[in-house]
C-alpha cells in the first residue's frame, strides 16, 4: 500500500489525510505543535467552495454550525455611505452559505474528524529535514531525533513551509502585504445590522469590518496600514492600551461603530502582519509536494486561503487515486491547480493594497467601487463566480 507522510496538521493536512484514506492511501500527519488547535485568536470566513470541497469527502458536516452564516457583504466608505452590497459566494444546492468561524474551531473540527476516521496524527513532531531515498520513497526527519519513511511527502506546513525550501532551496519568501490584521470580539454595542451581513468599511485612514453572531457577539477586524514590515519584537512591544489609542485615532474621522466596538472589546488586542505567497515556481519533485499556504498563500482579504487549501487537499488525493505513479500524479495536480490559485492570490493582493490606499487612491476607490460592486451584484463580474462556483466531484476521474 502507498504510504504518505503529511507535514502540518492545520487545515490542508487533516483534509488531505482524510481524502487519501478514501483513495486507499495510508498516511500519518505530523504537526509541530504539541497539542491540537491552539487558539491563535483570529477568525476566518470559510467560503462555499471550501464547503463544496469538504462535501466531496463527506466532511462538510463537521464545520457546519461551528461558526455562523455570513452570506452578504456590505461595503461602506468612511462617511457611512453604502458603496455596494454583494453576496459572498451564493449558496450550495442544499442552501449552505459562507460561514465565519474561529480559526481554532475549524482546525479542531478537522483534526477531530480525521482522528475519528482513524487517521494517525502525531503532535510535537517538527519536520527539520527530508531526503529522497535511493531506492525510491522519502525519509522525513524531526527535531526530536526521530524519522519516518514513506512513498511520498506532502508539505501542508503553511506559509513558512519547511518543505517548500527542501524541494527548492531558492523558493521565495512570503511577501509582506502593507496592512496589519488586528481583531477581537465585543458585546453590548448597538449596531445597525443583523446576523448574516459582514459590514466592511473603507475608512478614511483604516479598513474596518465586523459581523454580528446570532448570540449577540460582534466579531471584528481592522487593517491598519504599514509601509514597512514590523518585526515580531516590534509588534509584541505594542501594548494593548497603545493599540486601543491607535485604533481610536485611526477611526476618529469615520462615521460608524468602529470606536464603540473597540471600546466594548474586553481583554488583549493582538495584531498579525499580513503576507502572501504570489508565485512559487516549483511545487514538487519526484516524491515531495507542497499544498495550501505552503504553495500559494492568498492574503486574508481573499477570504479564500482555507478553502483553497481544502480544494488542494481533495484534488491531490484524487490525482494520486487515479495515477499511482507519484511524479505523474503530482504533475496532473499542478496542471489542475496553478492557474486558479495564482489568479486568486493576485486578486487578493489588489484588495489588500486598496485597503492601504493614500488620499488620491481613496477618492478613486470610493468613486469606482460602487460601479464595480453593482456589476458584481448583477453577476456581470466573472472573477467572483470563478472563485466560488468551483465544484469537486469525488467520483469523477481527474483530467487536466
Ligand atoms: C489573520 C488571518 C486572517 C485570515 N482570514 C482568512 C479568511 O477570512 N478566510 C480564509 O479562507 N483564510 C483566511 N486566512 C488564511 C488561512 O488561515 C490559511 O490560508 C489556511 O490556514 C491555510 O491552511 P494550511 O493548512 O495550508 O496552513 P496552516 O493552516 O497554516 O497550517 C499549517 C500547519 O503546519 C504546521 N507546521 C508548520 N511547520 C511545520 C513543521 N516544520 N513540522 C510540522 N508541522 C509544521 C503548523 O503548525 C500548522 O498547524 C487568514 C489568515 C490570517 C493569518
Amino acid at each position: 500500500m502507498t504510504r504518505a507522510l503529511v507535514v502540518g496538521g492545520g487545515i490542508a493536512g487533516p483534509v488531505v489525510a482524510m481524502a487519501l484514506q478514501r483513495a486507499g492511501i495510508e498516511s500519518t500527519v505530523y504537526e509541530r505543535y504539541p497539542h491540537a488547535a491552539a487558539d491563535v485568536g483570529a477568525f476566518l470566513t470559510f467560503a462555499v467552495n471550501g464547503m463544496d470541497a469538504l462535501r466531496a469527502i463527506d466532511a462538510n458536516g463537521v464545520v457546519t454550525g461551528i461558526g455562523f452564516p455570513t452570506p452578504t457583504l456590505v461595503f461602506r466608505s468612511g462617511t457611512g455611505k453604502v458603496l455596494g452590497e454583494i453576496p459572498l459566494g451564493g449558496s450550495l444546492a442544499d442552501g449552505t452559505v459562507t460561514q465565519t468561524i474561529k480559526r481554532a474551531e475549524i482546525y479542531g473540527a478537522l483534526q477531530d474528524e480525521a482522528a475519528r476516521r482513524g487517521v494517525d496524527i502525531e503532535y510535537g513532531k517538527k519536520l527539520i529535514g527530508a531526503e529522497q531515498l535511493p531506492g525510491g520513497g522519502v525519509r522525513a526527519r524531526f527535531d526530536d531525533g526521530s524519522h519516518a519513511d514513506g512513498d511520498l511527502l506532502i508539505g501542508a506546513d503553511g506559509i513558512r513551509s519547511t518543505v517548500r525550501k527542501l524541494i527548492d532551496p531558492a523558493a521565495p519568501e512570503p511577501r509582506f502585504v502593507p496592512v496589519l490584521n488586528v481583531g477581537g470580539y465585543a458585546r453590548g454595542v448597538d449596531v445597525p445590522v443583523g446576523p448574516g451581513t459582514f459590514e466592511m468599511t473603507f475608512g478614511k485612514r483604516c479598513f474596518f469590518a465586523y459581523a454580528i453572531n446570532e448570540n449577540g457577539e460582534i466579531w471584528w477586524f481592522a487593517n491598519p496600514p504599514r509601509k514597512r514590515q514590523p518585526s515580531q519584537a516590534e509588534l509584541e512591544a505594542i501594548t494593548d492600551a497603545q493599540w486601543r489609542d491607535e485604533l481610536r485615532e485611526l477611526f476618529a474621522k469615520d462615521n460608524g461603530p468602529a470606536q464603540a466596538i473597540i471600546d466594548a472589546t474586553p481583554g488583549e488586542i493582538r495584531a498579525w502582519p499580513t503576507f502572501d505567497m504570489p508565485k512559487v515556481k516549483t511545487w514538487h519533485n519526484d516524491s515531495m509536494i507542497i499544498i495550501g499556504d505552503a504553495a500559494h498563500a492568498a492574503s486574508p482579504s481573499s477570504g479564500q486561503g482555507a478553502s483553497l487549501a481544502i480544494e488542494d487537499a481533495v484534488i491531490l488525493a484524487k490525482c494520486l487515486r487515479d495515477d499511482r505513479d507519484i511524479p505523474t500524479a503530482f504533475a496532473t495536480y499542478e496542471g489542475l491547480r496553478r492557474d486558479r490559485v495564482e489568479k486568486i492570490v493576485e486578486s487578493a493582493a489588489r484588495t489588500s493594497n486598496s485597503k492601504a490606499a493614500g488620499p488620491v487612491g481613496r477618492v478613486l476607490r470610493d468613486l469606482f467601487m460602487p460601479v464595480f460592486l453593482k456589476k458584481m451584484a448583477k453577476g456581470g463580474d466573472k472573477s467572483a463566480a470563478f472563485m466560488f462556483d468551483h465544484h469537486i466531484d469525488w467520483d469523477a476521474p481527474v483530467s487536466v
Side-chain angles (χ1 to χ4, degrees), residues 70 75 114 145 149 175 177-179 183 191 196 234 243 252 292 358 378 386:
T70 40
F75 291 93
D149 293 347
R175 172 173 74 176
V177 177
V179 289
V191 290
E234 281 171 316
W243 266 126
K378 280 195 191 137
F386 154 79

Side-chain angles (χ1 to χ4, degrees), residues 7-13 30-33 42-45 103 107 125-127 156-159 162 181 272 291-294 300 303-307 309:
V7 180
I11 290 183
Y30 300 95
E31 165 58 46
R32 72 177 162 182
Y33 282 116
F43 57 86
L44 50 81
T45 54
R103 249 165 106 88
Y107 277 45
K125 286 283 188 187
K126 181 178 177 194
L127 181 93
D157 51 346
I159 193 163
T162 300
N181 262 281
W272 296 268
I291 62 172
D293 273 13
Q304 280 287 328
S307 297

Side-chain angles (χ1 to χ4, degrees), residues 6-27:
V6 177
V7 180
I11 290 183
V15 177
V16 80
M18 288 189 276
L20 287 172
Q21 188 187 51
R22 281 212 156 193
I25 297 172
E26 167 192 298
S27 69

Side-chain angles (χ1 to χ4, degrees), residues 155-340:
D157 51 346
I159 193 163
R160 304 265 164 212
S161 172
T162 300
V163 180
R164 185 170 64 228
K165 288 281 186 194
L166 290 170
I167 293 173
D168 178 10
E173 295 296 327
R175 172 173 74 176
F176 177 65
V177 177
V179 289
L180 301 181
N181 262 281
V182 185
Y185 307 96
R187 276 193 179 275
V189 184
D190 207 9
V191 290
V193 285
T197 301
F198 229 116
E199 284 275 322
M200 309 231 150
T201 301
F202 285 93
K204 290 199 174 66
R205 297 178 59 200
C206 184
F207 182 86
F208 184 80
Y210 71 92
I212 184 163
N213 195 340
E214 286 114 340
N215 66 13
E217 196 172 46
I218 296 170
W219 297 18
W220 66 271
F221 69 88
N223 293 137
R226 287 287 190 280
K227 286 205 172 76
R228 184 185 64 78
Q229 178 186 336
S231 69
Q232 198 50 36
E234 281 171 316
L235 272 185
E236 281 167 12
I238 304 174
T239 64
D240 191 48
Q242 283 170 328
W243 266 126
R244 288 173 193 276
D245 287 348
E246 174 172 343
L247 292 172
R248 289 197 109 269
E249 171 68 20
L250 283 172
F251 297 117
K253 293 200 169 127
D254 289 343
N255 192 8
Q259 285 191 327
I261 292 173
I262 290 156
D263 289 347
T265 303
E268 192 192 7
I269 291 182
R270 290 177 55 194
W272 296 268
T274 311
F275 298 96
D276 68 4
M277 209 59 232
K279 178 94 184 175
V280 177
K281 268 201 279 182
T282 311
W283 281 3
H284 61 88
N285 58 23
D286 282 353
S287 55
M288 297 191 239
I289 189 163
I290 43 175
I291 62 172
D293 273 13
H296 52 68
S299 92
S301 298
S302 68
Q304 280 287 328
S307 297
L308 292 182
I310 291 172
E311 288 178 13
D312 283 359
V314 176
I315 291 174
L316 176 61
K318 282 186 58 165
C319 293
L320 288 158
R321 175 196 68 189
D322 290 359
D323 197 332
R324 288 294 159 102
D325 178 62
I326 292 165
T328 311
F330 285 177
T332 305
Y333 166 81
E334 182 169 353
L336 287 169
R337 297 300 290 161
R338 193 177 269 285
D339 277 1
R340 170 172 173 77

